[in-house]
Amino acid sequence: DTGVSQDPRHKITKRGQNVTFRCDPISEHNRLYWYRQTLGQGPEFLTYFQNEAQLEKSRLLSDRFSAERPKGSFSTLEIQRTEQGDSAMYLCASSLTGGFFKQFFGPGTRLTVL
Amino acid sequence: QKEVEQDPGPLSVPEGAIVSLNCTYSNSAFQYFMWYRQYSRKGPELLMYTYSSGNKEDGRFTAQVDKSSKYISLFIRDSQPSDSATYLCAMSGDSGGSNYKLTFGKGTLLTVNP
């Protein structure tokens, strides 16, 4: 399977704990994106990487959120001191720079904060 | 007013019907228009994309963009039960602008009844 993969698929945590999600993009894609989707809403942009550089962050991405993409391959999204409002589906997507409008999404990580 | 408006439905049709889904938008900088299909608890899957105004056909699916009215549509002919999913419209600016993030509608939940 050469699609975007995400791990874990589901995460249940208690309020105040830290969580980390991983995304493996399509291998030849140099752009990687993170989105968040809550129930009944479309995905909302969080941040994106061009190779290893994080080029844009949404104001939705509070100081408790940090993302990395070392060596321009896989990416991690960490949420510190989770809150109940962080419960959502976290989606990763990847694309080629020239095909930025054709973003291919992974299956998502569903986070539940108790 | 949100940048992209989409009627969340739900929309229920009999098998074989023609389905019409649509979105309106307010940001005149949008140049790329995409339709994604999302099955329950899965990541969005890219169906079609269109650049600027015009029509595009792919099998049973036809995408239309009217930039003068800021209105886009997706038509599904001969709808099948397997088409039952949430359909999300998404938009992006051109290269040189906000050519990184997709702005999504809320999604329309479609059920095709056998």
Side-chain angles (χ1 to χ4, degrees):
Chain A
D1 184 15
T2 57
V4 178
S5 62
Q6 292 187 246
D7 184 71
R9 295 292 307 277
H10 302 94
K11 179 70 176 179
I12 300 174
T13 191
K14 293 182 179 179
R15 188 177 55 184
Q17 298 295 304
N18 299 344
V19 294
T20 300
F21 310 140
R22 175 181 171 124
C23 170
D24 287 89
I26 294 171
S27 57
E28 62 267 29
H29 285 180
N30 48 9
R31 282 200 179 180
L32 186 148
Y33 312 81
W34 285 99
Y35 290 81
R36 180 172 69 187
Q37 185 176 26
T38 54
L39 198 62
Q41 302 295 318
E44 292 179 293
F45 171 81
L46 292 178
T47 189
Y48 92 102
F49 293 84
Q50 175 83 29
N51 299 313
E52 67 275 9
Q54 187 175 19
L55 296 186
E56 189 72 26
K57 291 193 290 187
S58 162
R59 61 179 180 273
L60 292 176
L61 213 65
S62 76
D63 291 345
R64 298 184 296 106
F65 289 70
S66 62
E68 294 182 342
R69 193 184 182 196
K71 302 179 183 178
S73 55
F74 71 92
S75 176
T76 58
L77 178 67
E78 181 183 17
I79 309 174
Q80 296 182 328
R81 305 181 302 282
T82 53
E83 302 173 355
Q84 288 187 324
D86 297 331
S87 296
M89 173 83 93
Y90 289 84
L91 293 161
C92 175
S94 69
S95 78
L96 296 170
T97 302
F100 60 89
F101 50 92
K102 290 194 292 182
Q103 296 182 18
F104 295 88
F105 283 80
T109 294
R110 182 168 296 279
L111 173 66
T112 301
V113 181
L114 302 176
Chain B
Q1 181 189 9
K2 297 196 74 172
E3 281 191 291
V4 179
E5 300 280 0
Q6 183 176 11
D7 186 341
L11 183 62
S12 181
V13 301
E15 184 175 354
I18 297 174
V19 176
S20 173
L21 305 165
N22 54 74
C23 292
T24 59
Y25 64 96
S26 59
N27 189 344
S28 58
F30 289 145
Q31 295 287 346
Y32 288 91
F33 304 90
M34 282 65 68
W35 286 95
Y36 282 81
R37 177 174 63 195
Q38 186 173 28
Y39 292 111
S40 181
R41 297 184 176 270
K42 304 290 185 183
E45 171 194 8
L46 179 63
L47 283 176
M48 298 182 71
Y49 67 91
T50 309
Y51 177 71
S52 192
S53 286
N55 294 357
K56 188 171 185 178
E57 187 173 320
D58 184 2
R60 297 184 295 111
F61 298 87
T62 299
Q64 290 185 348
V65 175
D66 181 350
K67 290 191 68 182
S68 63
S69 302
K70 294 189 174 67
Y71 186 90
I72 72 170
S73 300
L74 178 70
F75 297 96
I76 306 174
R77 291 183 299 280
D78 187 25
S79 55
Q80 302 295 309
S82 58
D83 294 327
S84 298
T86 295
Y87 288 81
L88 296 153
C89 63
M91 308 179 188
S92 179
D94 206 341
S95 56
S98 56
N99 64 339
Y100 52 88
K101 72 175 185 180
L102 301 182
T103 301
F104 284 85
K106 281 188 174 184
T108 300
L109 178 60
L110 171 67
T111 301
V112 181
N113 301 299

